[in-house]
Amino acid sequence: MECSIKIKKTILVISVIILIVLSSVILFFLSKNGIISDYKYTLNRGPFKFTITLTEYVGDKEEVRIPGRIGLLRVAFIEPEVFNDNADITHIYVSKNVNMEGTLFCRRMPNLVYVEFEEGLETVSAWFVNSKNLKEIKLPQSVEDVVLELEGCDQIKGIDYPKNVKRINAPGIDGTPFKNKIKSYKYYVIGSNVLLSYNGSENEIVIPQGIKVLPAFVIPDDSETVISAIYMPESLTYMALPEIANENTMLYVGSNELEVYCTWRKYAGTIVAPAGSPMEMYCKENDIKFRPMTDEEEKIWREKTEAAASEITYQE
């Protein structure tokens, strides 16, 4: 019995030694940086683990699957130039294990026609600028946060945004047939009440009650028109602050808790909200002009935002 236990312990020790040696050999070769599975890569040495950065695609396949792991190592980063200007690739499949905290760049890929993100991804961030023949992007039902840039993608006639989508940074659909298609709708809403497109008045802008997310660049800036007033609904939870240069513009907001995103260009008008509201504190902290909303203004603000709700078009 004792002999059997000693043999098992010896086998276990030898197995551990072999595993360590093999791991050391693999890491030695990986640390040289080189080519593996159609990609050039670099090895990232962390305090407790090693990961890989993909630096260049060197294969010639038409259909490419972007891996979340190569061997035992996780792909932590994808350099911006990995796929740009590639004329061979027609289809890209993005694994659910790919780190999408960074952005996947697939710019100027003339023969790319289809991209699919695997079910399980909660974040999708990708640029396909000037990939002229790209026809379809399939988003997973699991996705909640979407960043797409499709300017110059002349064949994109539509994107099906899952109901689970809670945030998009910006629409990113300028110059696509999809953008032209939805111009006939005053308010085009996708996902979990995210306003993708606004095509109403540019002098007085009313965002309807029910909208929860207002991405950047949905509201036009005032470079070509004078915007006198903007009315934001009480249902709003996230707002990209409009890019307004006119100091006379009034932005009406309720007393609701609101996450505010500010683009590089500062809002120059006045924000009008109930006294003591979160927006009053935000204005003080960010040096934005503020004044309390009067009772009459609050009545008008509610009437306008609630009436506009009947004009919303939801993506089917």
Side-chain angles (χ1 to χ4, degrees):
M1 184 70 176
E2 290 182 4
C3 181
S4 175
I5 293 173
K6 286 182 180 180
I7 291 173
K8 288 180 179 179
K9 286 184 177 179
T10 303
I11 292 173
L12 179 61
V13 170
I14 292 172
S15 299
V16 170
I17 293 171
I18 291 173
L19 182 60
I20 292 172
V21 171
L22 285 175
S23 299
S24 299
V25 171
I26 291 170
L27 290 174
F28 172 77
F29 282 105
L30 285 174
S31 67
K32 298 298 183 181
N33 300 334
I35 300 174
I36 187 170
S37 186
D38 287 336
Y39 293 94
K40 288 186 178 180
Y41 66 87
T42 57
L43 187 68
N44 312 308
R45 298 174 179 85
F48 302 108
K49 62 181 179 179
F50 291 84
T51 58
I52 282 178
T53 294
L54 302 182
T55 59
E56 185 181 350
Y57 177 73
V58 293
D60 57 2
K61 297 182 177 69
E62 292 185 355
E63 296 192 3
V64 172
R65 183 175 183 85
I66 302 176
R69 292 182 178 275
I70 294 180
L72 298 174
L73 300 181
R74 180 170 178 259
V75 176
F77 304 101
I78 302 173
E79 290 288 346
E81 303 300 320
V82 169
F83 297 104
N84 287 350
D85 301 299
N86 185 291
D88 295 322
I89 298 173
T90 60
H91 293 65
I92 292 178
Y93 301 90
V94 184
S95 166
K96 66 181 179 181
N97 296 316
V98 171
N99 177 15
M100 294 300 294
E101 293 176 6
T103 299
L104 173 65
F105 290 94
C106 300
R107 295 174 290 198
R108 303 178 302 276
M109 297 179 67
N111 294 311
L112 180 65
V113 295
Y114 180 82
V115 178
E116 181 175 336
F117 295 88
E118 189 176 14
E119 195 63 47
L121 280 167
E122 294 183 356
T123 299
V124 167
S125 180
W127 283 37
F128 300 101
V129 176
N130 291 325
S131 292
K132 297 291 186 179
N133 288 302
L134 179 60
K135 293 180 173 64
E136 184 177 355
I137 297 172
K138 185 175 181 181
L139 298 172
Q141 294 301 310
S142 55
V143 72
E144 296 182 359
D145 196 338
V146 177
V147 178
L148 290 177
E149 182 53 64
L150 301 168
E151 185 175 359
C153 294
D154 302 337
Q155 304 297 318
I156 293 289
K157 297 179 180 179
I159 298 172
D160 291 328
Y161 292 91
K163 296 295 184 183
N164 214 33
V165 172
K166 296 179 174 66
R167 177 80 57 85
I168 63 172
N169 181 54
I173 56 175
D174 288 344
T176 67
F178 180 39
K179 173 68 173 181
N180 293 330
K181 177 183 175 182
I182 62 177
K183 275 185 176 179
S184 59
Y185 304 117
K186 187 172 182 179
Y187 307 105
Y188 191 79
V189 174
I190 56 96
S192 184
N193 292 306
V194 179
L195 184 61
L196 184 73
S197 177
Y198 169 77
N199 300 289
S201 168
E202 293 186 1
N203 300 117
E204 181 183 275
I205 297 172
V206 180
I207 305 302
Q209 179 67 13
I211 301 297
K212 293 182 179 179
V213 175
L214 178 68
F217 312 122
V218 170
I219 290 180
D221 62 32
D222 59 352
S223 59
E224 297 182 0
T225 187
V226 176
I227 299 175
S228 60
I230 304 171
Y231 295 87
M232 297 293 184
E234 198 166 26
S235 57
L236 209 61
T237 59
Y238 173 89
M239 173 181 71
L241 201 59
E243 296 185 348
I244 302 296
N246 181 13
E247 294 185 355
N248 296 319
T249 299
M250 299 292 170
L251 175 63
Y252 295 90
V253 184
S255 57
N256 46 307
E257 290 284 347
L258 186 59
E259 181 183 349
V260 181
Y261 169 74
C262 188
T263 59
W264 63 273
R265 183 179 168 190
K266 186 177 178 181
Y267 174 80
T270 298
I271 291 181
V272 182
S277 65
M279 281 306 299
E280 180 176 7
M281 181 62 67
Y282 176 84
C283 290
K284 288 179 180 179
E285 292 173 350
N286 292 275
D287 194 27
I288 296 174
K289 289 180 291 184
F290 173 87
R291 72 167 175 79
M293 185 183 290
T294 66
D295 292 342
E296 182 61 26
E297 285 174 328
E298 182 175 357
K299 180 182 177 183
I300 293 171
W301 161 70
R302 288 190 184 279
E303 288 175 352
K304 287 181 179 291
T305 55
E306 289 173 5
S310 63
E311 299 181 88
I312 294 175
T313 299
Y314 294 94
Q315 185 179 53
E316 295 180 356

